[in-house]
């Protein structure tokens, strides 16, 4: 990457990485919000979002992009809770007529429904995908169909993004920026 090249997109899921869920040996921590924070009371899981994620995500050398079924609601309810500005959103394509066969094969093969769309959105550029549902099938497919570097980083949904995740993301993004 040259110094003038755009920063790689980091495609960020919400449920799992930012909102921990599922079985855990202890209750998930909760965080208060200021009165009037969008979404307060609308979804009981929103109080699990650690507000420290915002500054940590913003410090990464990348372009943050929502890659979640929350779609535009991520900008309305999640971004303000963690101090981020509105971010670009991946709009998931509607199944194309006649594409059901490909989608059925993807499901049967274990390919995540987001994988093809994220590779298309990256358009050959280096990218990071942070999600709790990434599998080796997704990694293999991306390696075979994406010409640039890609980091598919799986987050434990029971704990969400942790220090070790931020360390790995930052190191990979800096290596890519340095051309390594």
């Amino acid at each position: 990457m040259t110094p003038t090249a755009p920063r790689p997109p980091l495609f960020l899921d919400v449920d799992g990485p930012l909102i921990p869920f599922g079985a855990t040996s202890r209750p998930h921590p909760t965080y208060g919000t200021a009165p009037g924070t969008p979404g307060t009371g609308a979804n009981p899981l929103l109080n699990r979002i650690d507000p420290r994620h915002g500054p940590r995500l913003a410090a990464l050398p990348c372009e943050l992009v929502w890659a979640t079924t929350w779609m535009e609601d991520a900008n309305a309810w999640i971004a303000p809770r963690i101090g981020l500005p509105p971010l670009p959103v991946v709009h998931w394509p509607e199944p194309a007529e006649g594409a059901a066969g490909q989608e059925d094969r993807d499901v049967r093969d274990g390919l995540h429904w987001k994988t093809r769309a994220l590779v298309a959105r990256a358009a050959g550029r280096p990218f990071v995908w942070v999600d709790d549902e990434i599998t080796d099938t997704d990694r293999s497919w991306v390696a075979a169909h994406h010409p640039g570097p890609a980091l598919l980083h799986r987050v434990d949904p029971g704990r969400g993004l942790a220090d070790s995740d931020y360390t790995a993301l930052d190191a990979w993004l800096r290596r890519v920026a340095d051309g390594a």
Side-chain angles (χ1 to χ4, degrees), residues 20 22-23 30 32-33 42 72 77 100 118 125 136 169 171:
T30 57
T33 57
E72 295 295 339
W77 293 11
L118 295 179
R125 295 188 303 159
D136 288 340
L169 295 170

Short mmCIF file of all heavy atoms in Angstrom, two decimals, residues 20 22-23 30 32-33 42 72 77 100 118 125 136 169 171:
data_model
loop_
_atom_site.label_atom_id
_atom_site.label_comp_id
_atom_site.label_asym_id
_atom_site.label_seq_id
_atom_site.Cartn_x
_atom_site.Cartn_y
_atom_site.Cartn_z
N PRO A 20 -21.78 -8.69 23.62
CA PRO A 20 -21.54 -10.09 23.97
C PRO A 20 -22.86 -10.78 24.33
O PRO A 20 -23.77 -10.16 24.88
CB PRO A 20 -20.61 -10.03 25.18
CG PRO A 20 -20.45 -8.61 25.53
CD PRO A 20 -21.18 -7.77 24.56
N GLY A 22 -24.75 -15.07 24.81
CA GLY A 22 -24.52 -16.51 24.90
C GLY A 22 -24.04 -16.91 26.27
O GLY A 22 -23.94 -16.11 27.20
N ALA A 23 -23.73 -18.20 26.36
CA ALA A 23 -23.32 -18.78 27.64
C ALA A 23 -22.00 -18.18 28.11
O ALA A 23 -21.10 -17.92 27.33
CB ALA A 23 -23.18 -20.29 27.49
N THR A 30 -22.57 -4.69 32.39
CA THR A 30 -23.45 -3.73 31.76
C THR A 30 -22.90 -2.33 32.00
O THR A 30 -22.13 -2.10 32.94
CB THR A 30 -24.89 -3.82 32.31
OG1 THR A 30 -24.86 -3.64 33.72
CG2 THR A 30 -25.51 -5.18 31.98
N GLY A 32 -23.86 1.92 31.91
CA GLY A 32 -24.90 2.94 31.90
C GLY A 32 -24.76 3.85 30.70
O GLY A 32 -23.72 3.89 30.03
N THR A 33 -25.81 4.55 30.41
CA THR A 33 -25.79 5.51 29.32
C THR A 33 -26.38 6.82 29.81
O THR A 33 -27.13 6.86 30.78
CB THR A 33 -26.62 5.03 28.11
OG1 THR A 33 -27.95 4.78 28.56
CG2 THR A 33 -26.04 3.78 27.51
N ALA A 42 -34.86 0.43 24.48
CA ALA A 42 -35.43 -0.22 23.31
C ALA A 42 -34.96 -1.66 23.16
O ALA A 42 -35.69 -2.51 22.68
CB ALA A 42 -35.08 0.56 22.04
N GLU A 72 -28.59 0.48 9.17
CA GLU A 72 -28.55 1.90 9.56
C GLU A 72 -28.81 2.09 11.05
O GLU A 72 -28.40 3.11 11.63
CB GLU A 72 -29.55 2.71 8.74
CG GLU A 72 -29.24 2.78 7.25
CD GLU A 72 -27.94 3.50 6.92
OE1 GLU A 72 -27.44 4.30 7.74
OE2 GLU A 72 -27.42 3.25 5.81
N TRP A 77 -28.16 3.75 16.92
CA TRP A 77 -28.19 3.26 18.29
C TRP A 77 -26.82 2.86 18.84
O TRP A 77 -26.60 2.95 20.04
CB TRP A 77 -29.13 2.06 18.40
CG TRP A 77 -30.57 2.39 18.20
CD1 TRP A 77 -31.12 3.55 17.74
CD2 TRP A 77 -31.66 1.52 18.46
NE1 TRP A 77 -32.47 3.44 17.69
CE2 TRP A 77 -32.84 2.20 18.12
CE3 TRP A 77 -31.75 0.21 18.91
CZ2 TRP A 77 -34.09 1.64 18.25
CZ3 TRP A 77 -33.01 -0.35 19.04
CH2 TRP A 77 -34.17 0.36 18.72
N ALA A 100 -30.89 -18.64 -6.04
CA ALA A 100 -31.18 -19.52 -4.90
C ALA A 100 -30.29 -20.75 -4.90
O ALA A 100 -29.88 -21.22 -3.85
CB ALA A 100 -32.65 -19.92 -4.90
N LEU A 118 -18.96 -9.07 1.28
CA LEU A 118 -17.82 -8.32 1.82
C LEU A 118 -16.64 -8.35 0.87
O LEU A 118 -15.95 -7.33 0.70
CB LEU A 118 -17.44 -8.85 3.20
CG LEU A 118 -18.52 -8.65 4.27
CD1 LEU A 118 -18.06 -9.22 5.60
CD2 LEU A 118 -18.91 -7.19 4.41
N ARG A 125 -9.18 -4.59 -2.46
CA ARG A 125 -8.35 -3.92 -1.44
C ARG A 125 -8.16 -4.84 -0.23
O ARG A 125 -8.99 -5.69 0.05
CB ARG A 125 -9.03 -2.64 -0.94
CG ARG A 125 -9.18 -1.58 -1.97
CD ARG A 125 -9.69 -0.28 -1.37
NE ARG A 125 -10.95 -0.46 -0.66
CZ ARG A 125 -11.41 0.37 0.27
NH1 ARG A 125 -10.72 1.41 0.64
NH2 ARG A 125 -12.56 0.14 0.85
N ASP A 136 -13.46 -21.51 9.01
CA ASP A 136 -12.38 -21.83 8.07
C ASP A 136 -12.88 -21.87 6.63
O ASP A 136 -12.13 -21.57 5.71
CB ASP A 136 -11.72 -23.16 8.44
CG ASP A 136 -10.88 -23.05 9.70
OD1 ASP A 136 -10.49 -21.92 10.07
OD2 ASP A 136 -10.61 -24.10 10.33
N LEU A 169 -5.74 -6.93 15.59
CA LEU A 169 -6.25 -6.08 14.51
C LEU A 169 -5.26 -4.97 14.19
O LEU A 169 -4.94 -4.72 13.02
CB LEU A 169 -7.61 -5.50 14.88
CG LEU A 169 -8.75 -6.49 15.05
CD1 LEU A 169 -9.97 -5.81 15.66
CD2 LEU A 169 -9.09 -7.17 13.73
N ALA A 171 -2.01 -4.79 14.82
CA ALA A 171 -0.77 -5.32 14.24
C ALA A 171 -0.96 -5.67 12.77
O ALA A 171 -0.11 -5.35 11.93
CB ALA A 171 -0.30 -6.54 15.04
#
